[in-house]
Amino acid sequence: MPAVTVTTLQELKQKGEKIAMLTAYDATFAHAACQAGVEVLLVGDSLGMVVQGQDSTLPVSIDEMAYHTACVKRGNQGALIVTDLSFMSYATLEQTLANSARVMQAGAHMVKLEGGVTLADAVQRLAENGVPVCMHMGLTPQSVNLFGGYKVQGRGEAQARQLRADAIALEQAGAAMLLLECVPSELAAEITQAVKIPVIGIGAGSATDGQVLVLHDMLGLSLTGRAPKFVKNFMDGQTSIQAALAAYVKAVKEVSFPAAEHGFSA
């Protein structure tokens, strides 16, 4: 497929065509996802759990994020690569700039930070230096200890108002994309309408501009045997991994995934 860029994603939002995004951690699966039509590959710090067997994303280092980004780059065939900055690797502006440079030089086209409006200055500085930023909002796994577990965010008017305001402020600061995780479907729809940049959802309903899942989850692979509510096993009824990847892209594009049971209420 032609190389996907930030402009491509903006055009898909404007046309109302859903964006298919999946995590990838190596060259082989990056290649397979591209063959299936996935437009965005997320080198997620979720690799800590699904690749390394950790109990959270916190132990993942920026060295490991750069390594896996380089692996994904070698298998990529035109998708936009987004890489997470790992836990505490963007605690200061200097760290943010240096570590963003590391993963961009490894092959990323965009970096992803977890948080809200407190990172607006970092987003602005990155954009000024040619680094597109995806802001991960709602349930941010790096803050699991602060949240007291993996819980839906944005329930209640105060939380919802803050999320909406943060999304608008981050767009104004220069964010190129938003990712909403475990946010009530109605709130995610409001935020998607409120900003001009693409909004990707995971457990955020079907009204966002696109969807993302962890590769291993959508293939029915889990170390714990328990899949989150927002996950669908796309290997069901398929004869190959490649067919499952294609089924995921088709379901996202046709808006048959996510269904109502994959989302959350306010």
Side-chain angles (χ1 to χ4, degrees):
M1 62 182 175
V4 176
T5 67
V6 172
T7 303
T8 310
L9 301 182
Q10 192 70 57
E11 290 170 350
L12 289 173
K13 176 176 176 117
Q14 291 167 356
K15 289 191 294 185
E17 181 179 339
K18 299 296 185 180
I19 298 162
M21 181 175 182
L22 266 181
T23 66
Y25 315 101
D26 62 36
T28 302
F29 274 105
H31 181 268
C34 290
Q35 292 291 102
V38 172
E39 286 123 346
V40 183
L41 298 175
L42 171 61
V43 185
D45 57 3
S46 49
L47 69 89
M49 300 164 89
V50 300
V51 176
Q52 298 175 342
Q54 310 278 8
D55 61 3
S56 75
T57 64
L58 273 58
V60 179
S61 71
I62 196 66
D63 290 343
E64 290 163 339
M65 294 310 306
Y67 169 80
H68 285 277
T69 299
C71 292
V72 167
K73 179 189 178 182
R74 295 183 196 113
N76 185 35
Q77 288 192 311
L80 184 91
I81 299 174
V82 181
T83 296
D84 278 333
L85 293 193
S86 53
F87 177 65
M88 290 298 288
S89 69
Y90 50 103
T92 67
L93 190 54
E94 291 72 19
Q95 281 182 309
T96 306
L97 294 172
N99 289 324
S100 294
R102 286 200 62 193
V103 297
M104 293 289 283
Q105 288 167 344
H109 304 114
M110 182 184 293
V111 301
K112 181 161 77 63
L113 315 181
E114 294 186 8
V117 71
T118 55
L119 290 170
D121 287 346
V123 171
Q124 182 176 345
R125 284 292 300 278
L126 286 169
E128 288 170 351
N129 283 277
V131 180
V133 181
C134 174
M135 287 303 304
H136 185 155
M137 304 173 65
L139 172 57
T140 47
Q142 290 177 12
S143 300
V144 61
N145 291 313
L146 195 62
F147 291 152
Y150 297 97
K151 301 176 180 179
V152 177
Q153 302 296 309
R155 282 179 166 155
E157 183 50 41
Q159 264 199 7
R161 187 167 56 246
Q162 187 65 58
L163 267 177
R164 281 192 296 265
D166 281 13
I168 292 167
L170 288 165
E171 178 187 30
Q172 291 172 344
M177 188 160 70
L178 300 179
L179 190 153
L180 300 178
E181 179 171 357
C182 290
V183 170
S185 300
E186 185 177 337
L187 174 59
E190 291 174 11
I191 291 172
T192 302
Q193 290 296 316
V195 297
K196 294 183 175 63
I197 56 176
V199 178
I200 307 296
I202 178 167
S206 61
T208 54
D209 299 309
Q211 299 295 325
V212 65
L213 283 177
V214 170
L215 173 71
H216 296 62
D217 287 346
M218 59 80 62
L219 293 177
L221 300 171
S222 171
L223 288 171
T224 65
R226 300 186 307 275
K229 176 185 178 180
F230 53 75
V231 169
K232 178 179 177 179
N233 180 358
F234 283 89
M235 277 300 295
D236 281 349
Q238 303 298 334
T239 57
S240 68
I241 288 173
Q242 195 63 52
L245 294 172
Y248 167 73
V249 173
K250 185 171 186 284
V252 170
K253 295 290 185 181
E254 294 179 349
V255 204
S256 60
F257 175 80
E261 69 259 25
H262 300 117
F264 299 95
S265 58

